[in-house]
Amino acid sequence: MRKLKKVMLVMLIGLILTPFVYVQLNKVIYANKVKKYLVEKQNYKENEIKSVKGVWGIKLPPFYATVVFEDEPYVEYIYFAHNDVLQFRYNITEEGNNKGITQSDLKHYNVPKY
């Protein structure tokens, strides 16, 4: 009986942890896929990229990546990486808005082709 309780406890813990592991793993996968795309396909050097972060969002698609470039620390670019990697949009931080940064000032913005 004691062994059965241990097995049930391990299974319960596994069921509880599975969604958390799934989310964290997908965030890492999306971030790595976008970084690889930027370096290998878009020919950015790794030192030009300040950060690439996988994000789990509430809306669809559930996973995407945000990229900040060293020369544009006030702009966060949003990339989808489900099948192909695609730059979707950008967000200018409040500090960037205060500095007067607009879309025409962006160095890494690729206009989406719909």
Side-chain angles (χ1 to χ4, degrees):
M1 191 61 142
R2 192 171 217 177
K3 191 174 184 179
L4 180 62
K5 285 184 181 182
K6 286 182 182 179
V7 170
M8 294 296 283
L9 181 63
V10 169
M11 288 177 57
L12 180 63
I13 291 171
L15 284 172
I16 292 170
L17 290 179
T18 298
F20 297 105
V21 171
Y22 171 79
V23 168
Q24 294 305 317
L25 186 62
N26 273 298
K27 287 168 49 175
V28 170
I29 289 169
Y30 279 71
N32 287 339
K33 191 172 181 181
V34 169
K35 187 167 187 173
K36 182 178 177 181
Y37 166 80
L38 292 172
V39 171
E40 293 180 5
K41 303 273 188 197
Q42 296 295 314
N43 299 317
Y44 285 103
K45 293 181 176 66
E46 288 202 26
N47 63 353
E48 294 176 304
I49 302 168
K50 185 174 184 175
S51 68
V52 179
K53 187 172 103 175
V55 178
W56 179 50
I58 302 296
K59 299 178 182 178
L60 290 175
F63 294 100
Y64 56 92
T66 60
V67 178
V68 176
F69 292 95
E70 286 289 342
D71 61 348
E72 282 188 312
Y74 307 116
V75 182
E76 182 179 74
Y77 293 94
I78 312 300
Y79 285 83
F80 293 153
H82 301 283
N83 295 322
D84 296 327
V85 176
L86 171 70
Q87 187 184 82
F88 181 68
R89 68 173 198 252
Y90 63 89
N91 293 324
I92 299 174
T93 64
E94 185 176 334
E95 189 174 352
N97 283 325
N98 292 339
K99 291 180 179 274
I101 296 173
T102 64
Q103 181 177 330
S104 62
D105 299 321
L106 302 180
K107 301 173 187 172
H108 306 285
Y109 181 56
N110 298 319
V111 179
K113 297 172 183 122
Y114 295 106

